[in-house]
Amino acid sequence: MKTTKYTEPVSTLLTYKKLSFNGAKWPDYLKLGLSKEHVPELITMISDESLHQAKSDSTEVWAPVHAWRTLAQLKAVEAIPALLGLLALKEKYDDDWISEELPDVFAMIGAPAIPELTQYIGDSRHYLYAQICAAEGVVSIGKLYPESCQSCINALEEQLKHYKDNDPTLNGFLVSYLIDLEAVETLPTIRQAYRDDCVDLTVTGDCEDVEIEFGVRNVRSTPRPPLWPEIEGLDQLRSLAGISPKQTNIRTGKKPGRNDPCPCGSGKKYKKCCLGKEDTGFTKSEDDLIPRCGLCGKTTNLTKTPCCDQWICDDEADYVLGSFERNSCYRNHSRYTLCGNHYAEDHTGHWKDCEECKEGIETELYVYYGTNEYNFEKLENPPKFEPTKCAKCGKRIRLGWEGYSMKAGKYWCERCAMQDFMGKYGDVMSEP
């Protein structure tokens, strides 16, 4: 393969440094003397296949990464076509650096990249995850430049309007990115795509999940649909592959909302019946005095929670070890809430004000544990967080209930973890 000769200071990147996925801040490449006049040579470097195929322990293999970072810092609009051309190499070389960094590169270039990224997303001839990476570039621009956010929302929604022509997985990511941009005004388009069954549910969940993300719905009104086909021996494969199991919510009831039927059985809405009676001095009937589980409303086989002294089903024995089902009110509250965690860790004070809980639990899980339906009272003003995404394919992973695996400190979705595991050990498992 022909090797390209590079001139100083571009050639400095051939021996600059090796990199690792550690979230470190990019160096200031312009301090190496690189400037606008070097853009053509840098564009050549990012596409140089001899460098992409260099030995993995060499410094040369990192030169394209250094080059595209430099182009980003130079805001080199003329490099956009070459950068888009790199997206196909993600598939060719299985190069995670491309999908990991190019969205940030496009973001640093800014609004001038939006039209070409949009065109790329809409071209179904491109590899699916190259389209998704381009879409992530658009959302990254919207986050970095608030003045361009509406243009990014418009571009993503316009592509979602073609949901019948798109791959369902692409539609799932478009929905996820619109959530990232807090584009609640796009809900009509999103709902229509879900109604026509054109969205991959494994990316962002179903339409109710999306509505909860946008803040227009508090809790689900239907059971969460299964996200994965039932495969014979799947649970055993998950265990062998080191995948945290999916969490299935099959609890039979929930704390009533204001407009729900009152759990006392009167037939009236909760807000028109028992809501607030304790505060108003209302004289309780005999039925009002019957203890009820604060989560599902049942009146038999109850106990008190040790953490917050609330009535709850005494049903932990119903849980089958290793099933990971969420069919026990007692277990759900003790394991999947901040209140239960605060008590189990023997922290002091109230769980809502506990800094130990806040610092000791990843922010996404902290918010989930504080706001899910297993709480008797919910966390007010939960902190914002960046959604967790698979380091391999970029799909959204909902840490509260979806399966995932940890590899080298990064999250992998269940699908990628399973594919990786089967790729390594599938032949061994198929032996008689």
Side-chain angles (χ1 to χ4, degrees):
M1 184 178 295
K2 183 179 178 181
T3 303
T4 303
K5 298 276 188 182
Y6 295 98
T7 62
E8 289 286 348
V10 176
S11 61
T12 306
L13 301 181
L14 296 170
T15 56
Y16 187 51
K17 63 171 66 174
K18 296 180 181 180
L19 300 171
S20 61
F21 281 125
N22 58 7
K25 185 178 179 181
W26 294 2
D28 183 353
Y29 291 94
L30 306 191
K31 289 183 177 179
L32 299 176
L34 294 160
S35 62
K36 284 284 188 181
E37 65 180 288
H38 302 112
V39 166
E41 203 170 352
L42 290 166
I43 290 174
T44 300
M45 181 174 277
I46 66 172
S47 306
D48 188 336
E49 293 211 19
S50 68
L51 297 176
H52 284 283
Q53 297 183 65
K55 292 182 179 180
S56 60
D57 60 351
S58 68
T59 55
E60 289 87 351
V61 75
W62 298 105
V65 181
H66 296 307
W68 71 52
R69 288 178 171 188
T70 306
L71 290 167
Q73 292 178 355
L74 290 169
K75 299 187 184 299
V77 175
E78 58 268 49
I80 294 172
L83 291 166
L84 288 170
L86 282 180
L87 296 181
L89 297 183
K90 164 71 172 88
E91 171 75 354
K92 185 175 181 179
Y93 298 127
D94 193 25
D95 188 345
D96 289 337
W97 284 87
I98 291 174
S99 56
E100 183 80 13
E101 294 210 343
L102 283 199
D104 293 330
V105 171
F106 291 123
M108 293 174 71
I109 293 173
I114 296 174
E116 290 186 68
L117 286 169
T118 303
Q119 185 177 4
Y120 192 98
I121 299 166
D123 190 341
S124 61
R125 293 173 297 178
H126 295 305
Y127 166 59
L128 172 61
Y129 285 99
Q131 291 176 281
I132 291 169
C133 190
E136 187 173 357
V138 173
V139 75
S140 298
I141 293 170
K143 289 180 177 180
L144 190 59
Y145 299 101
E147 66 274 16
S148 298
C149 186
Q150 191 57 54
S151 296
C152 295
I153 291 172
N154 293 343
L156 295 172
E157 183 182 21
E158 186 59 35
Q159 184 57 48
L160 184 59
K161 288 179 179 178
H162 301 284
Y163 59 81
K164 290 185 178 179
D165 300 320
N166 298 338
D167 186 290
T169 299
L170 174 59
N171 290 332
F173 277 100
L174 291 172
V175 171
S176 174
Y177 296 147
L178 289 168
I179 292 172
D180 289 345
L181 295 178
E182 300 181 355
V184 67
E185 70 272 18
T186 64
L187 259 177
T189 302
I190 292 172
R191 285 170 173 153
Q192 189 60 53
Y194 274 104
R195 277 195 291 267
D196 290 342
D197 196 24
C198 292
V199 183
D200 183 347
L201 301 186
T202 68
V203 180
T204 312
D206 67 0
C207 197
E208 289 190 19
D209 289 322
V210 173
E211 290 170 347
I212 290 171
E213 289 284 346
F214 275 130
V216 300
R217 172 189 289 273
N218 292 323
V219 296
R220 297 187 61 85
S221 58
T222 62
R224 181 170 286 109
L227 301 183
W228 302 91
E230 291 304 320
I231 303 172
E232 185 177 357
L234 180 59
D235 288 337
Q236 292 176 318
L237 286 176
R238 286 193 188 114
S239 178
L240 288 169
I243 300 171
S244 174
K246 293 184 301 179
Q247 308 296 350
T248 305
N249 177 10
I250 57 172
R251 186 170 56 79
T252 57
K254 63 180 186 295
K255 191 173 181 178
R258 291 175 59 84
N259 292 305
D260 290 337
C262 187
C264 77
S266 68
K268 299 178 181 178
K269 289 184 182 293
Y270 182 49
K271 67 182 180 182
K272 294 290 187 180
C273 191
C274 292
L275 177 63
K277 286 181 181 178
E278 292 79 7
D279 297 328
T280 60
F282 184 89
T283 302
K284 294 180 173 66
S285 67
E286 184 177 345
D287 189 56
D288 292 324
L289 298 174
I290 299 175
R292 297 176 183 276
C293 172
L295 299 185
C296 74
K298 288 183 179 179
T299 58
T300 57
N301 192 31
L302 301 180
T303 187
K304 285 289 191 82
T305 57
C307 48
C308 52
D309 198 37
Q310 297 283 347
W311 285 112
I312 197 167
C313 291
D314 188 8
D315 58 1
E316 191 166 23
D318 294 345
Y319 173 74
V320 178
L321 187 65
S323 69
F324 299 100
E325 292 180 342
R326 297 199 178 179
N327 61 342
S328 163
C329 291
Y330 190 95
R331 186 174 187 274
N332 290 344
H333 183 74
S334 63
R335 290 181 64 91
Y336 303 119
T337 67
L338 292 181
C339 180
N341 179 82
H342 182 81
Y343 175 82
E345 295 294 328
D346 200 26
H347 294 167
T348 59
H350 195 281
W351 63 265
K352 287 186 177 182
D353 307 315
C354 182
E355 289 297 322
E356 288 184 273
C357 287
K358 192 170 185 178
E359 293 174 4
I361 303 174
E362 190 161 349
T363 305
E364 180 173 346
L365 281 174
Y366 178 81
V367 172
Y368 174 74
Y369 289 158
T371 60
N372 65 39
E373 62 268 40
Y374 310 133
N375 286 276
F376 295 101
E377 56 178 329
K378 296 189 177 182
L379 182 68
E380 298 173 0
N381 302 314
K384 289 186 176 295
F385 60 88
E386 284 293 323
T388 302
K389 295 182 180 179
C390 175
K392 180 70 172 176
C393 71
K395 281 188 176 182
R396 170 77 186 277
I397 303 174
R398 296 172 180 274
L399 298 182
W401 65 82
E402 291 183 355
Y404 60 84
S405 180
M406 295 291 292
K407 294 180 181 290
K410 290 182 174 290
Y411 288 98
W412 283 40
C413 71
E414 186 170 22
R415 176 184 290 169
C416 289
M418 189 71 72
Q419 288 174 346
D420 181 67
F421 176 79
M422 294 303 293
K424 292 177 180 176
Y425 306 110
D427 291 342
V428 176
M429 295 181 64
S430 63
E431 292 178 359

